[in-house]
């Protein structure tokens, strides 16, 4: 049965943040709110957590995972950002964008796209998520919480607790959550490609 934690959206209680981070380090799988719907998350080295995310969402090995990063400096440790894209990506973060970029050797191969060797990265604008990332000291391996047969991310913690009570370890409630997804930009080649239109203005990346 999943633990249900209600954490203040503007001033996350350090004690509760520490509890979540301790659980992540112990290989827990969490359902947590972001600035673009709920997400499933675990630490990068949690092999079982990755497999549980794929099972819950009924996804295959080609799924593009996202690394939720605390800042641009951390993002740069896990993906290669070309000189041509550096300024545009930095200007768009933090914000509602996910960038698909070539992964560095810091990313375990099982988290990369099997053929492209890419991974998604994003820097959120959400106080709780930022607090978790600061305390954890590494990115959270993340996938949007869209269940099979559904088209939008979940937005209500109590509903997630009811539906996923036996397949996740912690469900976090933290204020109002919007379902609008991030805008996804694939910049693994020379020119950016808008893969999904979402909350972020895509026109800045379109020719």
């Amino acid at each position: 049965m999943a633990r249900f934690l209600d954490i203040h959206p503007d001033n996350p209680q350090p004690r509760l943040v520490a509890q979540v981070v301790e659980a992540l380090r112990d290989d827990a799988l969490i359902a947590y709110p972001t600035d673009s719907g709920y997400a499933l998350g675990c630490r990068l080295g949690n092999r079982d957590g990755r497999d549980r995310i794929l099972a819950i969402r009924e996804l295959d090995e080609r799924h593009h995972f996202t690394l939720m990063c605390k800042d641009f400096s951390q993002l740069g440790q896990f993906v290669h950002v070309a000189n041509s894209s550096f300024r545009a990506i930095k200007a768009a973060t933090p914000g509602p964008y996910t960038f698909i970029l070539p992964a560095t050797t810091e990313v375990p191969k099982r988290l990369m796209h099997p053929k492209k060797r890419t991974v998604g990265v994003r820097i959120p604008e959400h106080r709780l998520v930022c607090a978790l990332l600061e305390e954890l000291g590494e990115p959270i391996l993340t996938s949007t919480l869209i269940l099979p047969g559904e088209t939008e991310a979940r937005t209500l913690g109590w509903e997630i607790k009811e539906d996923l009570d036996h397949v996740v370890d912690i469900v976090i409630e933290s204020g109002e959550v919007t379902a609008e997804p991030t805008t996804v930009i694939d910049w693994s080649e020379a020119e950016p490609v808008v893969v999904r239109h979402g909350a972020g203005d895509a026109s800045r990346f379109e020719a």
Side-chain angles (χ1 to χ4, degrees):
M1 183 175 291
R3 291 174 62 198
F4 188 84
L5 296 177
D6 193 347
I7 302 180
H8 198 284
D10 298 319
N11 298 291
Q13 302 93 317
R15 174 179 57 85
L16 296 179
V17 169
Q19 286 180 23
V20 176
V21 169
E22 183 179 357
L24 284 169
R25 288 179 177 145
D26 286 340
D27 287 346
L29 177 62
I30 67 172
Y32 70 108
T34 77
D35 46 352
S36 59
Y38 265 81
L40 296 168
C42 65
R43 72 177 185 90
L44 297 188
N46 186 350
R47 291 172 178 266
D48 179 62
R50 169 199 175 274
D51 294 344
R52 289 164 70 187
I53 291 172
L54 293 178
I56 290 168
R57 293 201 53 199
E58 295 183 7
L59 299 169
D60 63 24
E61 298 288 328
R62 294 168 297 176
H63 174 63
H64 250 124
F65 279 98
T66 295
L67 307 185
M68 192 76 81
C69 300
K70 72 172 184 174
D71 53 29
F72 197 80
S73 174
Q74 188 178 72
L75 179 150
Q77 296 174 35
F78 293 90
V79 290
H80 295 287
V81 182
N83 291 336
S84 58
S85 58
F86 178 92
R87 186 174 297 179
I89 293 175
K90 196 169 192 306
T93 55
Y97 295 92
T98 298
F99 294 96
I100 297 171
L101 293 162
T104 69
T105 54
E106 295 291 315
V107 180
K109 286 187 177 180
R110 66 183 178 280
L111 305 183
M112 302 177 190
H113 187 281
K115 289 186 178 178
K116 298 180 178 180
R117 299 299 189 200
T118 52
V119 70
V121 286
R122 87 180 194 87
I123 303 171
E125 277 190 301
H126 192 284
R127 291 193 179 184
L128 167 62
V129 183
C130 292
L132 291 174
L133 291 167
E134 185 68 37
E135 180 78 11
L136 183 62
E138 65 176 69
I140 297 175
L141 178 66
T142 293
S143 182
T144 306
L145 182 40
I146 302 175
L147 294 179
E150 298 180 356
T151 57
E152 287 192 338
R154 290 296 186 97
T155 60
L156 298 173
W158 63 269
E159 279 189 351
I160 295 167
K161 174 78 163 73
E162 285 186 355
D163 293 344
L164 300 182
D165 202 23
H166 297 288
V167 291
V168 300
D169 302 303
I170 294 176
V171 177
I172 301 171
E173 183 86 54
S174 188
E176 190 172 333
V177 179
T178 175
E180 190 169 17
T182 58
T183 293
V184 179
I185 311 294
D186 185 336
W187 215 325
S188 56
E189 303 292 340
E191 297 296 326
V193 176
V194 179
V195 177
R196 180 180 71 195
H197 288 79
D201 179 12
S203 65
R204 62 201 294 178
F205 298 102
E206 294 174 318

